[in-house]
Amino acid sequence: MIKTLEWTADGVRFIDQTKLPTEEVYVTCRTYQEVAAAIRDMIVRGAPAIGVAAAMGVALGIQQSSAKDEQSLRREFDQISTVIGKTRPTAVNLFWAIRRMREKFDSLAGRPLPEIKTALVHEAQQMHLEDIAANKAMGRHGATLMPSSGGVLTHCNAGALATCGYGTALGVIRAAIESGKKIHVFADETRPFLQGARLTAWELTKDGIQTTVIADNMAGAMMRQGKIKAAVVGADRIAANGDVANKIGTYTVAVLAKEHGIPFYVAAPWSTVDMNTPSGDQIPIEQRSPKEVTHHGGKQMAPDGVRVENPAFDVTPNQYVTAIVTERGIARAPYAETLKELAGMATVTA
Ligand code: MRU
């Protein structure tokens, strides 16, 4: 399995996703500030991977702290969390991970500092293991929804590279193929950062899974020609009513799927579900540099001074979502009720 990120004795090690698919390079972040930069600069990306990277960043910062008492360590925790919390606003997994680390710290109040430090490292490592277990469980649930054969469209990269391993949407596809289904993946290239062309195509072809890359504006034509039997994507945040924030362009895929009578599935771990956000309207959408749109591979594609929009994510209203696959099970409309039911269930442990 691809090692997207791992805790090492030297720091947090990432496969540098900005270099794929042409170079497989690994970078080790030796401070929490370096981890924060890796998240911001998308060396690591994808909601679940961002969450675990954030937890490891917190653990690293606390491990290196020279605080002499718990109160000072707690102040440092706040400082580290603030820096890491400012990296990317949409993937709720980032905030979920910081909260879980804080809860762990709180549960250790009064314990010796070395014990707190070790426990926080273990917590981050445990989150890494749980993420893979959640993906495997999602795969088992979601595989049942996949067609027995034919094309399945995905957008962005919701694979091993976006998680600690196996993937969410790509985990569902992997599990379906492992169960004998004959699936051919259509990967939207995913402008402007090209996660589909660069990352999804890289990890699927590495696994020997049949993959065709298409430019984003080809999806409708492929559906009309009957080449696509289902669409499955990941999510950065799922609101309590089932609205889904995911990579820009996901909404377009969902609308096209509905028009063509194709099921549109979302696969995400429970850490992506934000029951405190009532609907997609309240989800903060990250705006990224205009240069990602105006330039490609270092070459300028648009005139100087032209106005540019670059929202990194869009929101797909729940009425376009056929089902949401989580490690706890499959939710279908009405999501306000079915997600509430899943919220009460025990989480998958590693
Ligand atoms: O900007 P990115 O590459 O971090 O965006 C990633 C996505 O939109 C993924 O689809 C989402 O995080 C789910 S990953 C399992």
Side-chain angles (χ1 to χ4, degrees):
M1 195 156 30
I2 300 159
K3 286 202 167 148
T4 306
L5 70 165
E6 65 177 326
W7 180 268
T8 74
D10 298 327
V12 189
R13 187 171 180 263
F14 298 101
I15 187 168
D16 184 345
Q17 300 196 32
T18 64
K19 299 278 196 303
L20 290 170
T22 49
E23 289 172 65
E24 191 173 329
V25 178
Y26 292 80
V27 291
T28 300
C29 294
R30 291 165 204 278
T31 63
Y32 78 87
Q33 291 95 337
E34 285 180 14
V35 173
I39 297 172
R40 195 184 49 241
D41 300 341
M42 293 174 70
I43 285 170
V44 61
R45 33 65 52 202
I50 289 172
V52 176
M56 288 186 176
V58 169
L60 190 61
I62 291 295
Q63 192 188 45
Q64 292 171 346
S65 163
S66 49
K68 297 278 178 287
D69 56 59
E70 193 183 312
Q71 218 182 5
S72 316
L73 192 63
R74 207 165 270 282
R75 271 196 300 273
E76 278 197 45
F77 187 102
D78 290 342
Q79 153 75 9
I80 295 164
S81 308
T82 303
V83 170
I84 294 178
K86 281 191 177 146
T87 52
R88 298 195 71 191
T90 305
V92 76
N93 310 59
L94 177 78
F95 308 100
W96 165 85
I98 292 172
R99 194 172 59 243
R100 181 160 156 179
M101 293 297 275
R102 188 182 298 279
E103 281 165 7
K104 186 72 197 174
F105 194 161
D106 290 347
S107 76
L108 294 159
R111 304 300 307 164
L113 299 194
E115 187 183 322
I116 295 175
K117 291 181 177 188
T118 307
L120 289 181
V121 172
H122 285 161
E123 188 71 0
Q125 287 172 312
Q126 179 62 20
M127 286 156 81
H128 187 277
L129 293 175
E130 284 175 18
D131 184 60
I132 298 171
N135 292 338
K136 291 281 172 78
M138 252 177 271
R140 283 193 296 278
H141 296 306
T144 61
L145 302 172
M146 291 291 101
S148 53
S149 65
V152 172
L153 178 70
T154 191
H155 190 75
C156 193
N157 172 268
L161 289 167
T163 62
C164 297
Y166 203 65
T168 59
L170 298 191
V172 166
I173 289 172
R174 284 192 167 96
I177 292 172
E178 282 160 20
S179 76
K181 295 190 173 183
K182 305 272 176 278
I183 288 173
H184 183 116
V185 178
F186 283 84
D188 271 348
E189 67 170 352
T190 318
R191 281 277 295 151
F193 210 69
L194 304 184
Q195 289 94 332
R198 294 191 303 106
L199 308 177
T200 295
W202 181 78
E203 70 165 84
L204 291 183
T205 49
K206 209 172 155 70
D207 269 7
I209 295 174
Q210 289 201 17
T211 306
T212 300
V213 174
I214 56 171
D216 297 346
N217 51 8
M218 297 173 189
M222 297 296 141
M223 288 184 187
R224 191 156 177 267
Q225 289 166 24
K227 289 184 177 165
I228 291 164
K229 301 276 180 283
V232 59
V233 300
D236 283 78
R237 193 183 295 223
I238 300 175
N241 71 344
D243 290 351
V244 175
N246 191 48
K247 181 52 54 193
I248 190 76
T250 302
Y251 172 53
T252 316
V253 172
V255 173
L256 281 171
K258 189 161 195 160
E259 177 64 24
H260 291 87
I262 294 165
F264 175 84
Y265 300 117
V266 175
W270 192 254
S271 53
T272 304
V273 180
D274 181 4
M275 296 300 280
N276 295 320
T277 295
S279 81
D281 293 343
Q282 293 87 38
I283 298 176
I285 301 293
E286 177 184 7
Q287 302 291 325
R288 293 188 62 87
S289 161
K291 212 168 171 196
E292 288 180 356
V293 176
T294 56
H295 289 64
H296 186 63
K299 191 174 183 303
Q300 187 170 338
M301 315 290 288
D304 285 332
V306 71
R307 270 202 292 270
V308 171
E309 295 240 18
N310 189 14
F313 302 97
D314 60 25
V315 171
T316 299
N318 58 27
Q319 68 264 29
Y320 294 98
V321 180
T322 311
I324 297 174
V325 182
T326 78
E327 70 274 33
R328 298 181 181 191
I330 297 173
R332 290 183 188 267
Y335 292 106
E337 288 169 27
T338 53
L339 289 176
K340 210 181 269 174
E341 272 167 37
L342 290 184
M345 285 174 61
T347 204
V348 168
T349 49

